[in-house]
Amino acid sequence: MTRDQALEIVKKYTTKEITYRHLISVEGVMRALARHFGEDEDTWGFAGLWHDLDYDHTADDFDRHTHLTIEWLRAEGMDDDKILNAILAHKYPDHRHSLIDTAIVHADAVAGLIVAAALVRPEKAAGMKVSSVKKKLKEKSFAPGVEREEIRNVEESLGIPLDEFLAIAIAGVQDMAPEIQLV
Ligand SMILES: [Fe+2]
């Protein structure tokens, strides 16, 4: 599957701009992490891109969250177990077996923080620094929905020091910035 085809699936199943932006931003972070680890970029990127695909349809029925996504993706002909399991893994700890399954949890959280931080800057994601994202991480009232622990514990979980992880994640979101109006 090409990235264009993967994006078509996102456009087909998401209804809210905020969900679309979240998915693309997590894709960007996952691609950057895949490069860091020498893993397959599309596999990691697509897992990030689709992880909350059903969000606009399951917000009031959270038990179906991720399961509906898997159903849709299979119907679209996507049967890569690595991708499908990583999508389940971002919700269910029982599914976290390999690096991609853990990485997606951290990518999800950090992309949320970086996008929120970019939205309050006039220059959006451009020129964003690790230090300013760290400041937002400490500011609990800022973007309170972000699971901060899943950012702070990244070193013990993925073996990447926090500052380096934030730099990788910022670069990943910046790569996607033109697609999600963050430039
Ligand atoms: Fe997410």
Side-chain angles (χ1 to χ4, degrees), residues 22-23 26 51-52 90 108:
H22 175 61
L23 292 178
V26 175
H51 82 283
D52 276 341
H90 101 269
D108 191 7

mmCIF file of all heavy atoms in Angstrom, residues 22-23 26 51-52 90 108, ligand 1:
data_model
loop_
_atom_site.group_PDB
_atom_site.id
_atom_site.type_symbol
_atom_site.label_atom_id
_atom_site.label_comp_id
_atom_site.label_asym_id
_atom_site.label_seq_id
_atom_site.Cartn_x
_atom_site.Cartn_y
_atom_site.Cartn_z
ATOM 1 N N HIS A 22 -4.257 14.880 14.449
ATOM 2 C CA HIS A 22 -3.620 13.991 15.437
ATOM 3 C C HIS A 22 -3.005 12.766 14.750
ATOM 4 O O HIS A 22 -1.867 12.392 15.029
ATOM 5 C CB HIS A 22 -4.649 13.558 16.486
ATOM 6 C CG HIS A 22 -4.121 12.564 17.471
ATOM 7 N ND1 HIS A 22 -3.058 12.843 18.301
ATOM 8 C CD2 HIS A 22 -4.472 11.276 17.736
ATOM 9 C CE1 HIS A 22 -2.787 11.773 19.041
ATOM 10 N NE2 HIS A 22 -3.623 10.806 18.725
ATOM 11 N N LEU A 23 -3.749 12.178 13.835
ATOM 12 C CA LEU A 23 -3.249 10.969 13.163
ATOM 13 C C LEU A 23 -1.985 11.254 12.346
ATOM 14 O O LEU A 23 -1.016 10.507 12.413
ATOM 15 C CB LEU A 23 -4.352 10.365 12.278
ATOM 16 C CG LEU A 23 -5.544 9.784 13.050
ATOM 17 C CD1 LEU A 23 -6.601 9.267 12.086
ATOM 18 C CD2 LEU A 23 -5.100 8.672 13.992
ATOM 19 N N VAL A 26 1.008 11.848 14.704
ATOM 20 C CA VAL A 26 1.542 10.603 15.291
ATOM 21 C C VAL A 26 2.281 9.808 14.212
ATOM 22 O O VAL A 26 3.326 9.204 14.476
ATOM 23 C CB VAL A 26 0.418 9.763 15.955
ATOM 24 C CG1 VAL A 26 0.967 8.431 16.457
ATOM 25 C CG2 VAL A 26 -0.204 10.538 17.116
ATOM 26 N N HIS A 51 -3.877 4.680 14.069
ATOM 27 C CA HIS A 51 -4.117 4.160 15.421
ATOM 28 C C HIS A 51 -5.461 4.614 16.022
ATOM 29 O O HIS A 51 -6.084 3.877 16.762
ATOM 30 C CB HIS A 51 -2.933 4.481 16.357
ATOM 31 C CG HIS A 51 -2.960 5.861 16.927
ATOM 32 N ND1 HIS A 51 -2.611 6.966 16.205
ATOM 33 C CD2 HIS A 51 -3.336 6.315 18.144
ATOM 34 C CE1 HIS A 51 -2.751 8.050 16.957
ATOM 35 N NE2 HIS A 51 -3.191 7.677 18.136
ATOM 36 N N ASP A 52 -5.890 5.826 15.697
ATOM 37 C CA ASP A 52 -7.181 6.328 16.197
ATOM 38 C C ASP A 52 -8.178 6.522 15.045
ATOM 39 O O ASP A 52 -9.022 7.412 15.107
ATOM 40 C CB ASP A 52 -6.995 7.685 16.904
ATOM 41 C CG ASP A 52 -6.556 7.559 18.353
ATOM 42 O OD1 ASP A 52 -6.725 6.474 18.940
ATOM 43 O OD2 ASP A 52 -6.062 8.561 18.909
ATOM 44 N N HIS A 90 -1.796 0.312 21.337
ATOM 45 C CA HIS A 90 -1.824 1.675 21.891
ATOM 46 C C HIS A 90 -2.942 1.798 22.928
ATOM 47 O O HIS A 90 -2.876 2.622 23.818
ATOM 48 C CB HIS A 90 -1.913 2.736 20.775
ATOM 49 C CG HIS A 90 -3.269 3.317 20.536
ATOM 50 N ND1 HIS A 90 -4.159 2.783 19.627
ATOM 51 C CD2 HIS A 90 -3.903 4.381 21.085
ATOM 52 C CE1 HIS A 90 -5.268 3.506 19.632
ATOM 53 N NE2 HIS A 90 -5.144 4.468 20.500
ATOM 54 N N ASP A 108 2.044 8.655 20.541
ATOM 55 C CA ASP A 108 0.695 9.181 20.731
ATOM 56 C C ASP A 108 0.723 10.356 21.712
ATOM 57 O O ASP A 108 0.204 11.442 21.437
ATOM 58 C CB ASP A 108 -0.181 8.029 21.270
ATOM 59 C CG ASP A 108 -1.658 8.339 21.265
ATOM 60 O OD1 ASP A 108 -2.066 9.377 20.725
ATOM 61 O OD2 ASP A 108 -2.423 7.509 21.823
HETATM 62 FE FE FE B 1 -3.894 8.858 19.609
#
